[in-house]
């Protein structure tokens, strides 16, 4: 089963670009980086070749002998079954963190041989670069971030007709109930499996919830091994403790990250590096608090107040040991964490949109809190997330009365509509938010 990824559009634009830099693809483990590079090569080039520096250390020799692109490719061609041709061959450097010389060579490919199309990626690239003190040729490569499969991509395969209807909506108008119900059903299934491609395939091929959980647990186990492989020995238990504290952090009514949740007496200075490691690995998203929604939002961030979400809702659910049927059937005891999971899925949708940054959240003392705040052009947009149809709460009203935004957004299970500056949007449509902010 193939899942078309929206990132292909970024690759296609890059291929047509006259000022083309080698791509350096970043993202968490197991999100499909290698697959998308090779699939793009098969679909858009005459030839595609992958040089994996982890499986084949011998490839490194081509870069130690010379920095000149033509000579490097001449040596690499010995290992290739296809010709390495300008414009016609997509050349993939995979697990590039295993060869610093190959990483540095991207600079020379850009400067001296831009006619060759190069895409590179690596496991935990940000972590490996810092650990080994490797230099990245900043300004000479195109940094592209990749994320787990979005709900938009999931829906396109799981229910093509519903996707076609939703994707065709241009204005905030009522959706037929039958379409909304189908949309919400698929959204529950997505919350169970998340966006890790292998788990998505297990769900879409109806292999059963046990198979989905087996895949997710396998990825969590792999992440644990990564802690030992890529982190400093003294940092491993701290990284593991922060990672495993996520369900407890997010189960609180106030989801602000609290160090003492990790362990009694824990201090920020003891765990800052662990948080940074998980961030660099793409495993978490830190959402910082702002007390004032000014432009730029980063200028008003309070670095000592933040929330931490997982890179993927399926992994978060499995990490918390929430059974799939709790989500699909509902449970009276599934309250605070249900809200946290709803926020995590919406966050994934917001981050995955083109040119998007990790949002912030807004608080006003102890009286009000808006889950997310994003900058859209010259506008600051507050976003509230509700897990179900119940939209009671005053925080968005407090924000509206204080700052009078052009748009305010509420994601919930309710139908699509606009009332003044309030956009009420079904949570599954978070991937389509941008089109409604242009009305």
């Amino acid at each position: 089963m193939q899942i078309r990824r929206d990132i292909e559009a970024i690759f296609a634009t890059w291929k047509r670009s006259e000022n083309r830099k080698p791509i350096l693809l970043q993202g968490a483990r197991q999100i499909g980086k290698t697959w998308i590079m090779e699939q793009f090569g098969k679909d858009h080039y005459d030839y595609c070749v992958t040089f994996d520096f982890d499986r084949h250390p011998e490839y490194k020799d081509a870069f130690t002998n010379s920095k000149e692109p033509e000579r490097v490719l001449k040596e690499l061609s010995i290992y290739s079954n296809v010709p390495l041709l300008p414009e016609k061959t997509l050349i993939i450097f995979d697990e590039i963190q295993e060869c610093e010389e190959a990483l540095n060579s991207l600079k020379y490919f850009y400067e001296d041989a831009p006619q060759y199309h190069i895409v590179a990626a690596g496991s935990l690239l940000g972590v490996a670069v810092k650990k080994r003190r490797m230099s990245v040729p900043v300004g000479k490569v195109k940094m592209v971030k990749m994320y787990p499969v979005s709900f938009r991509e999931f829906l396109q395969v799981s229910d093509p007709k519903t996707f076609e209807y939703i994707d065709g909506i241009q204005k905030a108008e009522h959706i037929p109930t039958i379409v909304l119900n189908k949309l919400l059903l698929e959204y529950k299934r997505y919350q169970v499996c998340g966006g890790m491609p292998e788990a998505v395939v297990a769900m879409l091929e109806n292999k059963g919830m046990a198979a989905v959980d087996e895949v997710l647990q396998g990825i969590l186990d792999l992440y644990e091994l990564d802690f030992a492989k890529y982190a400093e020995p003294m940092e491993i238990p701290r990284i593991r403790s922060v990672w495993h504290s996520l369900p407890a952090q997010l189960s609180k009514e106030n989801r602000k990250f609290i160090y003492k949740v990790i362990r009694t007496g824990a201090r920020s200075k003891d765990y800052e590096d662990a948080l940074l490691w998980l961030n660099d690995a793409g495993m978490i998203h830190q959402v910082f608090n702002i007390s004032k929604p000014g432009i730029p939002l980063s200028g008003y961030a309070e670095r000592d107040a933040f929330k931490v979400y997982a890179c993927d809702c399926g992994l978060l659910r499995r990490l918390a040991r929430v059974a799939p049927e709790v989500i699909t059937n509902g449970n009276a005891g599934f309250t605070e964490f249900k809200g946290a999971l709803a926020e995590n899925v919406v966050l994934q949708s917001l981050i995955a949109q083109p040119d998007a940054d990790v949002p912030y959240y807004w608080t006003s003392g102890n009286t009000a809190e808006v889950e997310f705040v994003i900058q859209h052009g010259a506008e600051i947009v507050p976003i509230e997330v509700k897990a179900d149809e119940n939209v009671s709460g005053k925080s968005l009203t407090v924000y509206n009365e204080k700052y009078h935004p052009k748009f305010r957004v509420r994601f919930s299970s309710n139908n699509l509509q606009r009332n003044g500056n309030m956009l009420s949007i079904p949570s599954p449509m978070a991937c389509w938010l941008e089109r409604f902010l242009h009305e």
Side-chain angles (χ1 to χ4, degrees), residues 49-321:
V49 60
T50 299
F51 297 102
D52 186 325
F53 296 101
D54 185 41
R55 292 189 178 187
H56 298 278
E58 63 270 23
Y59 295 160
K60 301 175 187 178
D61 294 341
F63 298 86
T64 56
N65 297 330
S66 176
K67 293 182 179 180
E68 202 275 314
E70 292 286 356
R71 183 173 174 182
V72 167
L73 291 179
K74 186 176 181 179
E75 291 197 32
L76 285 177
S77 66
I78 299 172
Y79 304 101
S80 175
N81 293 324
V82 301
L84 308 184
L85 303 176
E87 311 289 340
K88 294 186 177 182
T89 304
L90 181 64
I91 301 169
I92 298 170
F93 293 159
D94 206 4
E95 302 296 354
I96 197 171
Q97 81 283 351
E98 298 297 331
C99 182
E100 184 174 5
E101 292 83 2
L103 184 62
N104 291 334
S105 78
L106 299 180
K107 169 186 176 181
Y108 303 105
F109 275 101
Y110 169 62
E111 293 178 344
D112 304 331
Q115 67 272 24
Y116 291 101
H117 294 205
I118 311 284
V119 181
S123 298
L124 302 181
L125 186 58
V127 168
V129 164
K130 283 189 177 181
K131 180 180 179 180
R132 299 170 187 173
R133 297 180 179 175
M134 299 162 65
S135 60
V136 176
V138 178
K140 308 298 182 180
V141 295
K142 178 179 176 63
M143 307 292 285
V144 176
K145 289 186 178 181
M146 185 175 175
Y147 300 98
V149 174
S150 68
F151 176 69
R152 183 184 186 280
E153 294 165 335
F154 176 90
L155 183 65
Q156 195 167 5
V157 180
S158 68
D159 190 340
K161 289 186 178 180
T162 299
F163 171 82
E164 185 178 351
Y165 187 95
I166 296 299
D167 198 48
I169 295 174
Q170 298 298 324
K171 296 196 304 182
E173 296 178 338
H174 187 87
I175 300 171
T177 302
I178 188 173
V179 176
L180 180 60
N181 288 340
K182 288 183 177 181
L183 185 67
L184 293 172
L185 173 62
E186 295 303 322
Y187 196 58
K188 282 187 176 182
R189 297 213 301 155
Y190 178 77
Q191 286 180 304
V192 169
C193 70
M196 293 296 170
E198 190 179 353
V200 170
V201 170
M203 175 65 80
L204 295 179
E205 291 184 348
N206 298 314
K207 293 182 178 179
M209 298 303 181
V212 171
D213 272 357
E214 184 179 354
V215 169
L216 292 173
Q217 188 58 51
I219 296 173
L220 290 176
D221 292 343
L222 177 64
Y223 282 3
E224 296 279 346
L225 294 174
D226 285 339
F227 299 158
K229 182 177 180 180
Y230 290 98
E232 298 296 335
M234 67 175 295
E235 284 298 321
I236 294 171
R238 295 174 182 175
I239 294 169
R240 184 175 288 119
S241 295
V242 172
W243 175 244
H244 284 277
S245 79
L246 257 60
Q249 300 281 358
L250 294 171
S251 292
K252 301 187 279 73
E253 185 175 355
N254 177 356
R255 302 193 224 289
K256 178 184 173 183
F257 190 89
I258 304 295
Y259 289 97
K260 68 179 181 181
V261 170
I262 302 173
R263 68 171 178 83
T264 304
R267 299 171 298 177
S268 61
K269 69 177 184 178
D270 295 327
Y271 289 92
E272 286 176 345
D273 287 344
L275 280 165
L276 183 60
W277 193 98
L278 290 166
N279 241 325
D280 289 340
M283 293 172 61
I284 64 170
H285 300 300
Q286 274 183 286
V287 178
F288 289 95
N289 177 240
I290 56 169
S291 56
K292 176 184 176 182
I295 295 177
L297 286 172
S298 58
Y300 298 87
E302 299 179 354
R303 293 290 163 179
D304 59 345
F306 55 88
K307 297 185 283 189
V308 176
Y309 295 92
C311 64
D312 177 67
C313 61
L315 291 179
L316 176 62
R317 178 194 63 77
R318 180 60 189 168
L319 187 67
R321 291 300 191 270

